[in-house]
Amino acid sequence: MSKSSLWSVVSKMPPECFSNLYLGFPRNVRHILADWLENQPWEFLDVSDGFCQTLTNTLLTSMLDKLRKDSQCCRNQAELIQQVRWLEEICRREPQQMVETFKGILEREKAAVIEQFHSLPRSYCLKQEELKFGMAAQSLLHKLGEAQVLHDRLKQVSEMKNATVSPTPDVVSIKVKWTSVIRDAVVYLESMQAQVLKRITIWKRQQQLSGNGAFFNEDLAPIQEKCEILFDIHIRLSQELVNARIEWGMEGFTGVPEQISNSLTTLVKSSLLVDKQPPQVLKTQTKFHASVRFLLGPKLLANQVKMPTVKASIITEKQAREMVQSQVIEAWTECAGEILNNTATMEKNPSAKVYGTNFKSLSVKKIKRCERKGSESVTEEKCAILFTFNIAVSAINMTFHLEALSLPLVVIVHGNQDNNAKATILWDNAFAEVERLPFIVAERVTWPKMCETLNMRFVSEVGTTQGLLSEHFIFLAQKVFNDNSLKVEDFQERLVSWSQFNKELIPGRGFTFWQWFDGVVELSKKCLKNYWSDKLIIGFISKQYVQKLLCSEPDGTFLLRFSDSEIGGITIAHILRNQEGAAQIQNIQPFSANDLAIRTLGDRIRDLTQLKYLYKQKVKDEAFQKHYTKDQGMTKTDGYTPATIRMVAVSNSCDESQSQSSGKSIPPTHEMGTLQKENPLTNSPGYPSPMQSFPNHNILISPPLTQGNMQLPFTHGSPSPAYSPAGSMSPNTIPSFAQQYQDPLMQVDPPPFLVFSGNPNLDASNELYPTLEDVINDLFDMEELPGGVAPCLHPQNVPENDCNLEWVG
């Protein structure tokens, strides 16, 4: 609706929303006028003003001309012609009544749209703002025209009666009227300037919100056009006062010149903007870019031979606050740090009417830390880049010192500070007031505001149109407030503090709420965008609630949720039922971005045959088909056997029932065309490691071991179908040997599998086969090949002190 006109929305609403609205003005005529009607300044017409009366007659004439033209191709031509004649009569007799009718129609239409949609179309609001400024500008120029006429008459009368000792009544009357018009013009000017300065403030605020992902129209051309109009009016008014002082003194204008001068100074200073902000998290010794734009450059610098030099300095929050509060022009000599390449010359592009300075390779060489309050960390310390330059304008005999302050930023010296620095910036961007002292921000905000911020961040960073849902916010509220009993109505007015957001650790975890949420965002951005956009991931849901959802679902139903216990992890929760039909919920150990870079989430789900239905009862292959990697065939290329990787979720048969019923996670492993320890993942909080559940090591070799098809660093040969040496080995042998054969060229996956299993805690006691390498080398020296082997792995359960190595068929 943001780009819609008011009528385009109104015309689609039910007629009952506008009962009795179009009695005094037919709806079919309103339909013909459509956008034209709302694009006229009816709301800003003052029927008591002479200029507005003239403009009203012009607008009504244009309206009648449009209706006459459109009636020629209208289906109900006769009816419309009659209605046009009726409107002509009203416009002739009571034009003000017609204006009031239009005002009433538009007001009722706006009220109905707001009631149904809670806001007006953004394009309509911007158009009304343009109309308001344009109307004020026309009125002001009309007044200046009046002032010029009165000035000329006053001058003429004065010259005719220059022999008179005292001013005649005509001179006094004209002078009083002229003075009144000038004062009215100054009031109009200040009102117009307040409107433009408000628009600049809104532009800055929208720019700051865009740092969190909000939509931002960065086009400054409309604002620049208004600033130029105001500047021209200032100059014209100033010239009128100069003429008055020369000819009649300043009687009646006490304080007006200073008022206009101060207003002009404010306008010029406000026209320097940071149009390209520096990164809000800045790392020392790292180059960054920023630029400033001078909106009044075309007016003040067009005839300058030498362009001014703009300087960039870094200042503290305290210095920024003092700068805003002080009216004294101050050149900062004591900065908060040193910036390299911090000066650049103003550049001009006359054809585009753009005057600005582009800093291409700024770099913070060092930063001076301030005294911090209480438990405040360095990543909570806010600074800003201050851009300054001086300009002397001889045409108006004024000198200006211009300053533009960047958005708040946090300077870090190490990458591990980045996450907490981003939290500081996110909070400031989201909850700063439009008008504030730098850089004061609320310590507590309502939870709905926090939800809006989290959603904005997630959608913009991930690059999706699928935002967070109300049930997601319930889970997030329970997490940030550490209260699993919360319902929607419990936290609508509840306040969340900065400390809860990113200072206090989540109970039982080693990280804050923000660190966890940012990890989810980063994982989703890197690996899960399409899955999330296709609504395949529930994501924000607790493990306890998963139990409730899945316990009544068919066997093999699964869902995807973000890990509670790990930063940046996603896990698969699925239901299995035993022979008695009892529900057993399993949670597979979470996948990180690194895991999903090795094998995608879709392919992992395809690998796990125990997964059958995505909650709610969507067939797995139908839901994830587009996310499966297409098979490239298994033909040999360049003499190498093609390779693939598959994932299996391993479980200990002895402990399976217990771990499933308790919801513990099952660690995954990859079947790869290389020799590797099965699941070398380290232990994670809340997830049993493979060594806890499975004390025996399993090592897989998964290419066909035919001579000439394997690129291995030991002798090619033909192992027998089964071989079981009676030896064992040092626990250090297996990981070192697995690492020796971690070669991407060996990652192939046709059968058979060579499986080694044994107790890693035994000492090597067999002199013939002291190491696993010796065993495999000996097998490759044999002549026979195994036949009819199956491409699957069966974990070997071996007695203590045994070490088995065999082909699995």
Side-chain angles (χ1 to χ4, degrees):
M1 194 173 77
S2 62
K3 295 184 179 180
S4 304
S5 65
L6 180 64
W7 178 249
S8 66
V9 177
V10 168
S11 60
K12 297 173 184 175
M13 294 174 64
E16 52 268 23
C17 295
F18 308 98
S19 57
N20 302 325
L21 175 58
Y22 301 106
L23 295 179
F25 191 80
R27 183 182 173 91
N28 68 310
V29 177
R30 171 69 179 97
H31 178 75
I32 292 172
L33 294 176
D35 298 355
W36 183 90
L37 187 69
E38 62 197 61
N39 289 338
Q40 311 309 318
W42 309 110
E43 182 181 344
F44 313 110
L45 289 175
D46 181 2
V47 293
S48 64
D49 182 80
F51 168 74
C52 289
Q53 291 176 3
T54 303
L55 182 60
T56 296
N57 292 331
T58 302
L59 291 174
L60 292 177
T61 300
S62 298
M63 178 196 71
L64 293 172
D65 289 343
K66 177 176 174 59
L67 289 174
R68 291 190 195 99
K69 181 179 179 181
D70 291 347
S71 67
Q72 297 176 4
C73 55
C74 180
R75 180 179 301 176
N76 301 321
Q77 185 176 8
E79 180 184 2
L80 183 58
I81 290 175
Q82 186 176 357
Q83 290 171 334
V84 171
R85 288 174 180 170
W86 172 69
L87 290 172
E88 284 177 345
E89 183 63 21
I90 295 178
C91 292
R92 185 182 62 81
R93 288 187 293 103
E94 298 182 66
Q96 294 86 356
Q97 179 185 337
M98 197 78 262
V99 172
E100 293 302 320
T101 299
F102 290 154
K103 285 183 179 180
I105 289 174
L106 293 173
E107 284 299 321
R108 286 278 303 277
E109 288 178 348
K110 288 192 292 184
V113 170
I114 291 174
E115 182 178 356
Q116 181 162 342
F117 300 103
H118 308 293
S119 65
L120 294 171
R122 184 172 177 273
S123 58
Y124 172 78
C125 295
L126 291 175
K127 183 62 179 179
Q128 292 303 300
E129 186 179 304
E130 296 289 329
L131 289 172
K132 181 179 180 180
F133 182 85
M135 186 66 196
Q138 290 184 60
S139 298
L140 181 51
L141 291 173
H142 179 75
K143 284 195 172 294
L144 290 176
E146 282 186 62
Q148 184 62 48
V149 171
L150 289 170
H151 176 265
D152 293 342
R153 283 185 58 194
L154 185 59
K155 188 175 182 180
Q156 184 181 9
V157 171
S158 298
E159 289 175 351
M160 290 175 59
K161 299 186 177 182
N162 55 8
T164 308
V165 176
S166 60
T168 64
D170 286 344
V171 172
V172 173
S173 174
I174 294 173
K175 189 174 182 181
V176 169
K177 191 172 183 181
W178 181 71
T179 303
S180 175
V181 169
I182 292 295
R183 284 191 171 277
D184 287 346
V186 172
V187 173
Y188 266 70
L189 178 61
E190 290 187 331
S191 175
M192 289 174 61
Q193 183 160 309
Q195 182 184 343
V196 173
L197 296 182
K198 181 180 179 181
R199 168 47 56 189
I200 290 176
T201 301
I202 292 173
W203 185 90
K204 289 181 177 178
R205 179 62 184 142
Q206 290 174 339
Q207 185 189 47
Q208 183 174 22
L209 286 173
S210 71
N212 285 359
F215 169 79
F216 174 50
N217 181 7
E218 60 184 15
D219 183 18
L220 283 168
I223 298 177
Q224 177 169 320
E225 183 181 359
K226 293 182 177 67
C227 288
E228 291 177 355
I229 291 173
L230 289 176
F231 180 82
D232 289 340
I233 295 173
H234 271 102
I235 299 304
R236 189 167 170 181
L237 264 177
S238 298
Q239 191 59 47
E240 287 287 338
L241 291 175
V242 169
N243 295 337
R245 184 177 66 250
I246 294 174
E247 297 181 25
W248 305 290
M250 294 305 295
E251 183 180 351
F253 292 108
T254 305
V256 174
E258 292 78 11
Q259 190 177 358
I260 294 177
S261 177
N262 291 337
S263 180
L264 178 58
T265 300
T266 300
L267 176 65
V268 173
K269 287 189 172 184
S270 301
S271 66
L272 181 66
L273 301 175
V274 184
D275 61 330
K276 301 295 181 185
Q277 291 285 341
Q280 288 188 267
V281 176
L282 271 182
K283 190 172 182 293
T284 55
Q285 310 293 336
T286 302
K287 289 184 178 181
F288 63 93
H289 165 259
S291 66
V292 295
R293 180 166 168 182
F294 187 31
L295 301 183
L296 286 177
K299 296 292 182 181
L300 296 175
L301 298 177
N303 299 320
Q304 290 277 356
V305 177
K306 185 179 180 180
M307 291 290 105
T309 298
V310 183
K311 181 180 180 181
S313 309
I314 188 165
I315 63 174
T316 64
E317 179 177 345
K318 180 182 178 183
Q319 288 174 319
R321 194 172 299 134
E322 291 171 352
M323 183 192 76
V324 171
Q325 291 175 318
S326 174
Q327 300 298 319
V328 180
I329 296 175
E330 180 176 356
W332 292 98
T333 56
E334 185 67 26
C335 297
E338 182 181 350
I339 299 183
L340 303 179
N341 308 312
N342 68 330
T343 59
T345 303
M346 182 79 68
E347 299 173 349
K348 62 180 178 179
N349 183 350
S351 60
K353 298 182 68 176
V354 173
Y355 285 68
T357 305
N358 190 11
F359 293 87
K360 298 180 180 179
S361 56
L362 293 168
S363 176
V364 177
K365 183 178 180 181
K366 60 182 179 180
I367 186 71
K368 299 177 183 177
R369 298 297 185 186
C370 304
E371 291 185 10
R372 291 182 291 279
K373 299 170 288 186
S375 61
E376 188 179 66
S377 67
V378 294
T379 56
E380 297 174 77
E381 183 181 323
K382 289 176 275 191
C383 304
I385 305 293
L386 177 65
F387 300 92
T388 59
F389 74 94
N390 296 315
I391 178 175
V393 185
S394 56
I396 56 177
N397 194 28
M398 295 181 72
T399 299
F400 301 99
H401 175 75
L402 277 70
E403 302 170 334
L405 199 63
S406 76
L407 292 175
L409 51 89
V410 175
V411 179
I412 62 175
V413 298
H414 195 278
N416 62 12
Q417 297 173 315
D418 181 75
N419 183 271
N420 289 327
K422 285 195 298 184
T424 299
I425 295 302
L426 182 83
W427 187 278
D428 190 274
N429 285 347
F431 309 123
E433 297 292 336
V434 175
E435 298 284 353
R436 64 161 178 176
L437 285 175
F439 294 108
I440 296 174
V441 66
E443 278 289 320
R444 295 175 179 272
V445 297
T446 60
W447 176 246
K449 284 186 177 181
M450 175 58 71
C451 291
E452 182 182 350
T453 298
L454 295 176
N455 182 63
M456 185 187 299
R457 179 74 175 188
F458 185 90
V459 168
S460 64
E461 285 293 308
V462 176
T464 180
T465 57
Q466 185 65 32
L468 305 184
L469 304 176
S470 57
E471 51 265 34
H472 296 148
F473 292 126
I474 295 175
F475 168 75
L476 293 172
Q478 292 172 341
K479 198 170 190 70
V480 76
F481 294 121
N482 189 30
D483 188 348
N484 292 331
S485 65
L486 284 176
K487 298 180 178 60
V488 175
E489 57 272 14
D490 296 333
F491 55 77
Q492 285 303 306
E493 298 303 323
R494 195 162 178 175
L495 298 179
V496 58
S497 68
W498 161 250
S499 184
Q500 288 171 313
F501 181 68
N502 193 48
K503 289 185 77 70
E504 300 171 3
L505 298 182
I506 296 175
R509 308 298 185 206
F511 43 80
T512 65
F513 172 83
W514 160 254
Q515 289 166 350
W516 175 84
F517 183 81
D518 190 51
V520 167
V521 171
E522 287 298 313
L523 176 69
S524 302
K525 177 170 65 174
K526 292 177 181 178
C527 307
L528 305 177
K529 172 184 174 180
N530 294 332
Y531 300 93
W532 177 270
S533 298
D534 291 343
K535 301 181 181 180
L536 301 176
I537 299 175
I538 293 181
F540 299 98
I541 182 173
S542 67
K543 186 181 289 188
Q544 293 76 16
Y545 196 61
V546 167
Q547 300 272 342
K548 180 179 178 181
L549 291 182
L550 294 183
C551 65
S552 59
E553 293 296 316
D555 185 51
T557 300
F558 69 99
L559 57 78
L560 300 165
R561 69 176 187 86
F562 299 120
S563 171
D564 267 334
S565 58
E566 294 186 8
I567 294 177
I570 187 168
T571 184
I572 303 172
H574 64 101
I575 183 172
L576 292 177
R577 297 184 184 277
N578 59 21
Q579 294 179 349
E580 290 76 25
Q584 302 167 344
I585 307 300
Q586 289 189 343
N587 292 274
I588 295 175
Q589 186 166 315
F591 310 123
S592 67
N594 290 337
D595 297 327
L596 299 179
I598 295 171
R599 188 156 180 81
T600 67
L601 180 62
D603 289 342
R604 289 171 183 266
I605 290 171
R606 177 170 57 176
D607 292 341
L608 299 175
T609 56
Q610 63 266 45
L611 306 182
K612 300 175 183 177
Y613 307 101
L614 178 67
Y615 181 84
K616 303 177 177 180
Q617 298 189 10
K618 298 177 184 177
V619 177
K620 176 180 78 171
D621 289 340
E622 292 179 3
F624 287 90
Q625 184 67 45
K626 63 181 286 189
H627 301 284
Y628 293 161
T629 302
K630 294 181 180 179
D631 292 333
Q632 301 298 319
M634 298 300 290
T635 58
K636 300 179 182 180
T637 57
D638 299 328
Y640 293 104
T641 299
T644 186
I645 301 173
R646 289 195 180 94
M647 192 193 83
V648 294
V650 297
S651 59
N652 191 319
S653 58
C654 298
D655 301 329
E656 183 176 296
S657 176
Q658 181 180 355
S659 66
Q660 288 172 348
S661 61
S662 64
K664 289 185 178 180
S665 299
I666 303 302
T669 182
H670 298 107
E671 297 181 0
M672 307 172 64
T674 183
L675 194 65
Q676 73 171 53
K677 186 167 66 175
E678 183 162 285
N679 200 336
L681 299 173
T682 56
N683 199 15
S684 303
Y687 300 95
S689 72
M691 290 305 297
Q692 290 174 321
S693 299
F694 316 106
N696 294 330
H697 282 272
N698 291 326
I699 299 178
L700 291 74
I701 297 179
S702 170
L705 302 179
T706 56
Q707 188 168 355
N709 289 343
M710 272 294 293
Q711 301 293 324
L712 288 175
F714 43 77
T715 307
H716 290 195
S718 304
S720 65
Y723 188 83
S724 300
S728 54
M729 57 206 66
S730 166
N732 294 327
T733 303
I734 294 174
S736 63
F737 185 70
Q739 292 170 6
Q740 179 180 351
Y741 296 119
Q742 290 288 342
D743 187 325
L745 295 176
M746 297 165 55
Q747 297 181 9
V748 292
D749 194 22
F753 295 116
L754 175 65
V755 179
F756 166 78
S757 50
N759 191 322
N761 297 317
L762 299 177
D763 294 328
S765 59
N766 189 292
E767 296 180 0
L768 182 60
Y769 300 109
T771 66
L772 180 59
E773 181 174 7
D774 294 325
V775 175
I776 294 179
N777 280 337
D778 187 73
L779 289 175
F780 271 80
D781 286 337
M782 298 180 181
E783 296 179 356
E784 294 184 4
L785 284 173
V789 290
C792 59
L793 169 65
H794 300 280
Q796 302 300 301
N797 297 316
V798 298
E800 188 172 294
N801 300 325
D802 279 357
C803 179
N804 292 345
L805 186 65
E806 63 177 298
W807 298 104
V808 180

